Amino acid sequence: MIITGKYPKLRMRRSRKEDWSRRLIRENTLSGSDFVLPIFLTDGKNKKIGIKSMNGVYRYSIDNISKIIDKALKNKVPMIALFPHTNTKLKNVNGSEAFNENNLVSKAIVAIKNKYKNSIGIMCDVALDPYTSHGHDGLIKKKEILNDETIKILIKQSLMQAQMGCDVIAPSDMMDGRIGYIRSKLDEFNHKDTIILSYAAKYHSSFYGPFRDAVGSKNQLQGASKSSYQMNIANSDEALHEVALDIEEGADIVMVKPGMPYLDIISKIKNTFKMPTFAYQVSGEYSMLQNAIDQGWLEKEVMLESLLCLKRAGADAILSYSAVELLKEFDL
Ligand code: PBG
């Protein structure tokens, strides 16, 4: 028998043998500080409403929101992301509720800042889909989603959120050029320290379904496609192009969405730009795993694994619906 290589002198299993040595050679970790917790908002009082397609995730009325924020803080989660479930009566073709100073998101920002000051960051989505009667992220004319006209509204929405006290403005709409316009509007009104987190590489994915239930845009969309603005799932160079443009326009943080099916994209972006790069484990990913865990088909460790893999790929932080439960469950 011809023996090649370094075995048996070198044995990779040596350092895997004991828990202490496994911990020593560990390359990546997860902790509370790696997460952003998305929170769904609903109007009304004393509400905590379950979302059928997202077991374990709820919509909270503003007076109830500290229930979940306290848990996030206790587990050292640095930031929450607010998503409103808007009453259908308030939706219209132009999504004008998006810049109503009294909308759910505004009220929530004010209430949270009052109570928690700067102990936790607040991130808000910039896009029109929770507010439009057609469920699209932008304005629509003869079935076309209008880019430049939409930007004008996104600027208003962003400025209002910043004025209410939002720390991180997160455009998730995929209109061209919006980051630059939003940055200059924020600066003009002296919100020069407001961070912009761009959903820079956001794909036209089928993993967003449960989220659309949660914010109530699914019925509005009636099966309409967002493929004229979200990225083609087949592309990867294009993601680098998108990210390069958003950085040039002033994005402080860039995000890849969804997460687990797009590890190659996260890795390329992180390696190319060396910028803060976030990943979003989206609703469909969460639901698949959580459902299988609830059924007993998969161990609960799969959730941890899927999130750790996002970090290994290069994500600096992760938006995850399971952040709090996970941090409670595991000693990370
Ligand atoms: C809205 C928005 C979406 C998500 C975040 N912001 C849905 C969409 O683009 O249709 C998806 C998040 C998730 O699925 O968890 N622009």
Side-chain angles (χ1 to χ4, degrees):
M1 190 163 72
I2 303 164
I3 298 168
T4 57
K6 295 174 180 168
Y7 172 84
K9 252 190 184 163
L10 180 69
R11 291 176 182 269
M12 295 300 280
R13 289 183 55 189
R14 259 178 217 138
S15 48
R16 285 178 206 147
K17 196 169 166 211
E18 303 296 342
D19 177 61
W20 60 264
S21 59
R22 286 195 292 271
R23 281 191 285 130
L24 274 176
I25 62 158
R26 185 185 177 99
E27 296 177 39
N28 291 286
T29 53
L30 275 177
S31 74
S33 303
D34 292 315
F35 291 108
V36 178
L37 179 71
I39 297 179
F40 294 110
L41 305 169
T42 183
D43 47 19
K45 288 232 152 46
N46 197 20
K47 296 262 170 66
K48 182 185 174 190
I49 304 168
I51 299 153
K52 221 175 170 187
S53 52
M54 297 180 81
N55 207 7
V57 180
Y58 302 87
R59 296 185 199 116
Y60 295 87
S61 55
I62 294 174
D63 58 340
N64 255 345
I65 207 173
S66 56
K67 285 190 179 152
I68 180 80
I69 297 182
D70 287 344
K71 286 186 195 163
L73 268 176
K74 197 167 163 232
N75 290 289
K76 300 204 164 63
V77 171
M79 182 160 79
I80 53 169
L82 301 177
F83 295 99
H85 178 268
T86 305
N87 190 323
T88 331
K89 282 186 238 149
L90 299 172
K91 299 185 183 186
N92 58 31
V93 267
N94 296 326
S96 56
E97 179 67 6
F99 51 87
N100 170 4
E101 291 197 355
N102 272 318
N103 73 15
L104 256 182
V105 170
S106 303
K107 285 191 280 193
I109 299 172
V110 172
I112 296 165
K113 277 292 164 199
N114 259 335
K115 177 152 188 203
Y116 295 93
K117 313 291 180 226
N118 282 328
S119 58
I120 195 156
I122 303 179
M123 160 180 161
C124 295
D125 235 44
V126 170
L128 302 184
D129 55 312
Y131 309 106
T132 51
S133 44
H134 43 77
H136 277 293
D137 293 27
L139 301 180
I140 192 166
K141 192 177 179 187
K142 292 191 190 138
K143 295 201 173 159
E144 188 189 335
I145 306 305
L146 304 171
N147 195 85
D148 305 1
E149 293 78 353
T150 298
I151 290 184
K152 290 189 189 131
I153 302 205
L154 300 180
I155 293 171
K156 276 178 139 178
Q157 187 184 17
S158 305
L159 181 60
M160 190 202 72
Q161 289 176 351
Q163 284 168 338
M164 292 297 150
C166 171
D167 303 292
V168 177
I169 300 286
S172 70
D173 54 287
M174 290 300 278
M175 298 301 123
D176 286 324
R178 85 283 203 217
I179 299 295
Y181 278 91
I182 292 172
R183 179 74 273 161
S184 66
K185 194 54 143 194
L186 292 177
D187 289 353
E188 187 189 324
F189 282 80
N190 211 22
H191 293 292
K192 55 185 188 313
D193 291 330
T194 303
I195 293 172
I196 297 184
L197 184 161
S198 166
Y199 287 71
K202 176 170 176 178
Y203 283 87
H204 180 235
S205 166
S206 302
F207 282 100
Y208 307 149
F211 173 95
R212 292 178 188 169
D213 284 335
V215 300
S217 68
K218 195 182 234 160
N219 290 342
Q220 253 69 34
L221 270 173
Q222 297 193 328
S225 161
K226 298 191 178 185
S227 55
S228 76
Y229 45 107
Q230 299 180 342
M231 275 185 57
N232 188 333
I233 56 174
N235 296 352
S236 118
D237 289 343
E238 191 188 353
L240 297 179
H241 198 171
E242 280 282 4
V243 169
L245 292 170
D246 284 3
I247 293 172
E248 176 108 15
E249 288 176 31
D252 302 290
I253 302 170
V254 293
M255 184 146 75
V256 178
K257 180 174 167 212
M260 198 156 73
Y262 296 81
L263 296 178
D264 55 327
I265 309 297
I266 297 168
S267 170
K268 275 191 186 173
I269 290 174
K270 186 65 188 175
N271 285 328
T272 307
F273 299 102
K274 317 280 185 205
M275 285 274 293
T277 304
F278 288 12
Y280 199 145
Q281 182 188 55
V282 298
S283 56
E285 297 176 70
Y286 168 84
S287 293
M288 269 190 322
L289 296 173
Q290 193 58 48
N291 207 23
I293 294 167
D294 293 341
Q295 298 285 343
W297 296 336
L298 288 173
E299 304 291 329
K300 50 185 183 291
E301 281 78 4
V302 285
M303 195 64 92
L304 197 64
E305 182 176 338
S306 68
L307 295 165
L308 183 59
C309 292
L310 293 170
K311 275 208 78 186
R312 195 196 57 227
D316 296 297
I318 304 164
L319 270 81
S320 161
Y321 299 101
S322 53
V324 164
E325 290 311 310
L326 216 85
L327 290 160
K328 274 199 306 200
E329 179 90 32
F330 296 99
D331 180 25
L332 299 179

